[in-house]
Amino acid sequence: MADPSDYELAAWRDIQRFKGRPLSRVMRGAGEQVATGAAELGKRATKYLENHPRAQSAVSRGQEIAAKGARKVSAGARGATDALPDWSGTALQSVRQTVGRVSRAGLSSERVVALHRKRGHDIASLSDLRGLDLERIDAVRGRAASWYYPAAAALSGAGAGLVISGGQLAVAASAGAAAAPSGGAIVGAFTADAAVVLGLASRSVGQISLLYGYDPEEPAEKLFVMSVVNAGTATSATAKSAAMADISRLTQALVRGKTWDVLNEAVVTKVSQQFARAFGFRLTKKGLGKAVPAFGIIVGGTLNWTTLEAIVDAADTAYRRRFLLEKYPHLGEAAESESFPDAGPEAQDDADEEISLLGELAEAGGPDLR
């Protein structure tokens, strides 16, 4: 058995120490916290103004605007929950169609192979990349995914925040009810944003998988892609534990070259449908702060940026770990069987729903790897 190079050993140590980028760690669950805090602030401000009529008359116009603003902050945060999309039927179909279009666009194993050949690497197919030293992989892969996908997601989040909260901000200043976004517009904005984010997430992880020599179009690899997206968006202890366990067990099965006769496209499609629904719920709940006037655009853009940032980091870590374990199985003997780098501080368990891809896989008629 060959020994890892110094570069690969250093990369393995970095994997064990990785904790996520600072902004991603800070922003976990921030959208829901902003919405909850704004609702409470709005209630207090409204109550204060209602109980101090002299203050209102002294600066009547200013207090009128402030009172309306306070009420809108409270109503906007509370209304976000009421306007959550029904993640079944049309909403789910929208997510699936967008994911399909975005995740497959431009991904090419032939292009990756050609880039390596241009560098003088002796490979004939995508799978040959797994025999190269990790340093050669890093020389080709670049770092564009670390900012391109987060930036694209941020634009979507900012746009959703503008649709959801922008009209409410106008109402607070002018009392023009016609400026308020309709319930349909709010639901549509949440749904469209979730579809774009999941599409970008799937595509970014698929691109990273190709760079390490794995074809994301294979049924087993599609499961791995979803498990990485799940890990990158989990925030509570329970959700993170379930996501990390999925990745660890899938990694072990794939490293051992396990084959599954019952794993086919029909089974994977069922799992992807369930995951899209659960992901939509999770992302929408995290993004409740988009409904808060004046903060919605900022929260929407920042939250989406950090979500994709965390997913890209989770993908890079998961595939590097798998790449090295496949070449050097003895590296895993020194690590805990269920180990996976922590992505940051945990949210409360009730703030994030547990998603188990392996559980969904077993229920869909696939192999039970739990």
Short mmCIF file of all heavy atoms in Angstrom, two decimals, residues 134-157:
data_model
loop_
_atom_site.label_atom_id
_atom_site.label_comp_id
_atom_site.label_asym_id
_atom_site.label_seq_id
_atom_site.Cartn_x
_atom_site.Cartn_y
_atom_site.Cartn_z
N LEU A 134 -3.01 14.34 -4.67
CA LEU A 134 -3.97 15.43 -4.41
C LEU A 134 -3.42 16.78 -4.85
O LEU A 134 -4.18 17.67 -5.25
CB LEU A 134 -4.32 15.46 -2.92
CG LEU A 134 -5.38 16.48 -2.50
CD1 LEU A 134 -6.71 16.20 -3.20
CD2 LEU A 134 -5.57 16.46 -0.99
N GLU A 135 -2.12 16.94 -4.82
CA GLU A 135 -1.52 18.21 -5.23
C GLU A 135 -1.80 18.49 -6.70
O GLU A 135 -2.02 19.64 -7.10
CB GLU A 135 -0.01 18.17 -4.97
CG GLU A 135 0.67 19.51 -5.19
CD GLU A 135 2.10 19.53 -4.71
OE1 GLU A 135 2.63 18.45 -4.36
OE2 GLU A 135 2.70 20.61 -4.68
N ARG A 136 -1.83 17.44 -7.52
CA ARG A 136 -2.15 17.62 -8.94
C ARG A 136 -3.63 17.97 -9.13
O ARG A 136 -3.97 18.75 -10.02
CB ARG A 136 -1.82 16.34 -9.71
CG ARG A 136 -0.33 16.05 -9.83
CD ARG A 136 -0.05 14.93 -10.80
NE ARG A 136 1.36 14.81 -11.08
CZ ARG A 136 1.86 14.03 -12.05
NH1 ARG A 136 1.02 13.33 -12.82
NH2 ARG A 136 3.15 13.96 -12.25
N ILE A 137 -4.47 17.38 -8.31
CA ILE A 137 -5.90 17.72 -8.38
C ILE A 137 -6.09 19.20 -8.06
O ILE A 137 -6.81 19.92 -8.76
CB ILE A 137 -6.71 16.86 -7.38
CG1 ILE A 137 -6.60 15.38 -7.72
CG2 ILE A 137 -8.17 17.32 -7.34
CD1 ILE A 137 -7.24 14.98 -9.01
N ASP A 138 -5.44 19.67 -7.01
CA ASP A 138 -5.59 21.06 -6.59
C ASP A 138 -5.02 22.03 -7.62
O ASP A 138 -5.48 23.17 -7.74
CB ASP A 138 -4.90 21.27 -5.24
CG ASP A 138 -5.66 20.65 -4.09
OD1 ASP A 138 -6.81 20.23 -4.31
OD2 ASP A 138 -5.12 20.56 -2.98
N ALA A 139 -4.01 21.60 -8.37
CA ALA A 139 -3.42 22.47 -9.39
C ALA A 139 -4.38 22.75 -10.52
O ALA A 139 -4.30 23.79 -11.19
CB ALA A 139 -2.15 21.82 -9.94
N VAL A 140 -5.35 21.86 -10.74
CA VAL A 140 -6.31 22.00 -11.83
C VAL A 140 -7.62 22.61 -11.37
O VAL A 140 -8.24 23.41 -12.07
CB VAL A 140 -6.57 20.63 -12.50
CG1 VAL A 140 -7.71 20.73 -13.50
CG2 VAL A 140 -5.31 20.14 -13.19
N ARG A 141 -8.05 22.27 -10.17
CA ARG A 141 -9.42 22.60 -9.75
C ARG A 141 -9.68 24.09 -9.56
O ARG A 141 -10.77 24.57 -9.84
CB ARG A 141 -9.80 21.86 -8.46
CG ARG A 141 -9.07 22.30 -7.22
CD ARG A 141 -9.54 21.48 -6.02
NE ARG A 141 -10.94 21.66 -5.77
CZ ARG A 141 -11.43 22.53 -4.89
NH1 ARG A 141 -10.60 23.28 -4.19
NH2 ARG A 141 -12.72 22.65 -4.71
N GLY A 142 -8.74 24.87 -9.11
CA GLY A 142 -8.97 26.30 -8.89
C GLY A 142 -9.91 26.54 -7.72
O GLY A 142 -10.31 25.61 -7.00
N ARG A 143 -10.29 27.80 -7.53
CA ARG A 143 -11.13 28.18 -6.39
C ARG A 143 -12.34 29.02 -6.78
O ARG A 143 -12.96 29.66 -5.93
CB ARG A 143 -10.29 28.98 -5.37
CG ARG A 143 -9.19 28.15 -4.72
CD ARG A 143 -9.77 27.10 -3.79
NE ARG A 143 -8.77 26.17 -3.29
CZ ARG A 143 -9.04 25.14 -2.50
NH1 ARG A 143 -10.29 24.93 -2.14
NH2 ARG A 143 -8.08 24.34 -2.10
N ALA A 144 -12.71 28.99 -8.05
CA ALA A 144 -13.82 29.83 -8.51
C ALA A 144 -15.13 29.47 -7.80
O ALA A 144 -15.96 30.34 -7.51
CB ALA A 144 -13.99 29.71 -10.02
N ALA A 145 -15.33 28.18 -7.52
CA ALA A 145 -16.59 27.76 -6.90
C ALA A 145 -16.76 28.37 -5.52
O ALA A 145 -17.89 28.51 -5.04
CB ALA A 145 -16.63 26.23 -6.80
N SER A 146 -15.66 28.75 -4.87
CA SER A 146 -15.74 29.29 -3.52
C SER A 146 -16.41 30.65 -3.46
O SER A 146 -16.88 31.06 -2.40
CB SER A 146 -14.33 29.39 -2.92
OG SER A 146 -13.76 28.10 -2.78
N TRP A 147 -16.45 31.36 -4.60
CA TRP A 147 -17.11 32.68 -4.59
C TRP A 147 -18.20 32.80 -5.66
O TRP A 147 -19.16 33.55 -5.47
CB TRP A 147 -16.08 33.79 -4.80
CG TRP A 147 -15.35 33.72 -6.12
CD1 TRP A 147 -14.16 33.13 -6.38
CD2 TRP A 147 -15.80 34.28 -7.37
NE1 TRP A 147 -13.84 33.26 -7.72
CE2 TRP A 147 -14.81 33.96 -8.34
CE3 TRP A 147 -16.93 35.00 -7.75
CZ2 TRP A 147 -14.93 34.34 -9.67
CZ3 TRP A 147 -17.05 35.38 -9.09
CH2 TRP A 147 -16.05 35.06 -10.02
N TYR A 148 -18.07 32.06 -6.77
CA TYR A 148 -19.04 32.21 -7.85
C TYR A 148 -20.44 31.78 -7.42
O TYR A 148 -21.42 32.51 -7.59
CB TYR A 148 -18.59 31.39 -9.07
CG TYR A 148 -19.63 31.34 -10.18
CD1 TYR A 148 -19.78 32.42 -11.05
CD2 TYR A 148 -20.46 30.24 -10.34
CE1 TYR A 148 -20.73 32.39 -12.06
CE2 TYR A 148 -21.42 30.21 -11.34
CZ TYR A 148 -21.55 31.28 -12.20
OH TYR A 148 -22.50 31.25 -13.19
N TYR A 149 -20.55 30.60 -6.85
CA TYR A 149 -21.87 30.10 -6.45
C TYR A 149 -22.47 30.89 -5.29
O TYR A 149 -23.67 31.21 -5.31
CB TYR A 149 -21.79 28.61 -6.12
CG TYR A 149 -21.52 27.76 -7.35
CD1 TYR A 149 -20.29 27.15 -7.54
CD2 TYR A 149 -22.50 27.59 -8.32
CE1 TYR A 149 -20.04 26.38 -8.67
CE2 TYR A 149 -22.26 26.83 -9.45
CZ TYR A 149 -21.02 26.22 -9.63
OH TYR A 149 -20.78 25.48 -10.76
N PRO A 150 -21.69 31.22 -4.26
CA PRO A 150 -22.25 32.08 -3.21
C PRO A 150 -22.74 33.42 -3.75
O PRO A 150 -23.77 33.93 -3.31
CB PRO A 150 -21.08 32.25 -2.24
CG PRO A 150 -20.28 31.00 -2.39
CD PRO A 150 -20.36 30.69 -3.85
N ALA A 151 -21.99 34.01 -4.69
CA ALA A 151 -22.39 35.31 -5.25
C ALA A 151 -23.71 35.19 -6.02
O ALA A 151 -24.60 36.05 -5.90
CB ALA A 151 -21.29 35.85 -6.16
N ALA A 152 -23.86 34.13 -6.81
CA ALA A 152 -25.10 33.93 -7.56
C ALA A 152 -26.28 33.73 -6.62
O ALA A 152 -27.38 34.26 -6.83
CB ALA A 152 -24.96 32.74 -8.50
N ALA A 153 -26.06 32.97 -5.55
CA ALA A 153 -27.13 32.74 -4.58
C ALA A 153 -27.49 34.03 -3.85
O ALA A 153 -28.66 34.28 -3.54
CB ALA A 153 -26.72 31.67 -3.57
N ALA A 154 -26.48 34.87 -3.56
CA ALA A 154 -26.73 36.13 -2.87
C ALA A 154 -27.62 37.04 -3.70
O ALA A 154 -28.51 37.73 -3.17
CB ALA A 154 -25.41 36.83 -2.56
N LEU A 155 -27.42 37.07 -5.01
CA LEU A 155 -28.27 37.88 -5.88
C LEU A 155 -29.72 37.41 -5.82
O LEU A 155 -30.65 38.21 -5.76
CB LEU A 155 -27.76 37.81 -7.32
CG LEU A 155 -26.45 38.55 -7.62
CD1 LEU A 155 -26.02 38.29 -9.05
CD2 LEU A 155 -26.62 40.05 -7.38
N SER A 156 -29.90 36.09 -5.81
CA SER A 156 -31.26 35.54 -5.71
C SER A 156 -31.88 35.90 -4.37
O SER A 156 -33.05 36.30 -4.30
CB SER A 156 -31.22 34.02 -5.87
OG SER A 156 -32.50 33.46 -5.64
N GLY A 157 -31.12 35.79 -3.29
CA GLY A 157 -31.64 36.10 -1.96
C GLY A 157 -31.99 37.56 -1.80
O GLY A 157 -33.01 37.90 -1.19
#
